[in-house]
Amino acid sequence: MRLITAIIKPFKLDDVKAALEQFGIKGMTVSEASGYGRQRGHTEVYRGAEYQVDLVPKVRLEVLAEEDDAEDVIDVIVKAAHTGKIGDGKVWSVPVDTVIRVRTGERGSEAL
């Protein structure tokens, strides 16, 4: 089993969710995040004063997937989140040893 984590632009969340649901993903965790990569933030003007925004708002999406489906899930996320502009985000996966559904005690694939 793999934990797939994606950091994406907030306005792409609905596209990514729809694509994952169409693929067959039944659950995900979404949280607000902020950070920067190569773009190092950006400059904005508020009431005539220019200021630097160091941390850009992002969305962190986490999905558990079977080992065999992990690469396909990553491809679905990348295609749905792609804009071609700087700051599109990152996607990575890590192995998961144990998953347990708290309510029922189911383990492994049954817990998804």
Side-chain angles (χ1 to χ4, degrees), residues 3-8 12-13 15-17 19-20 23 25 28 59 61-65 69-83 88-93:
L3 173 63
I4 300 162
T5 304
I7 306 294
I8 61 172
K12 295 301 281 182
L13 178 60
D15 295 341
V16 173
K17 278 176 34 183
L20 287 171
F23 181 77
I25 297 297
M28 64 189 73
V59 171
L61 177 75
E62 295 173 308
V63 176
L64 282 171
D69 294 335
E71 284 300 317
D72 293 333
V73 171
I74 290 169
D75 290 341
V76 166
I77 293 170
V78 169
K79 287 177 187 166
H82 180 265
T83 67
D88 271 354
K90 298 273 189 289
V91 181
W92 64 90
S93 72

Side-chain angles (χ1 to χ4, degrees), residues 39-60:
Q39 78 269 23
R40 298 272 186 220
H42 62 276
T43 303
E44 289 187 6
V45 177
Y46 179 73
R47 293 188 175 182
E50 189 173 291
Y51 65 98
Q52 182 71 22
V53 177
D54 293 331
L55 299 175
V56 180
K58 299 286 183 180
V59 171
R60 181 183 178 116

Side-chain angles (χ1 to χ4, degrees), residues 26-44:
K26 293 180 171 66
M28 64 189 73
T29 300
V30 177
S31 53
E32 293 181 14
S34 59
Y36 65 87
R38 291 183 181 162
Q39 78 269 23
R40 298 272 186 220
H42 62 276
T43 303
E44 289 187 6

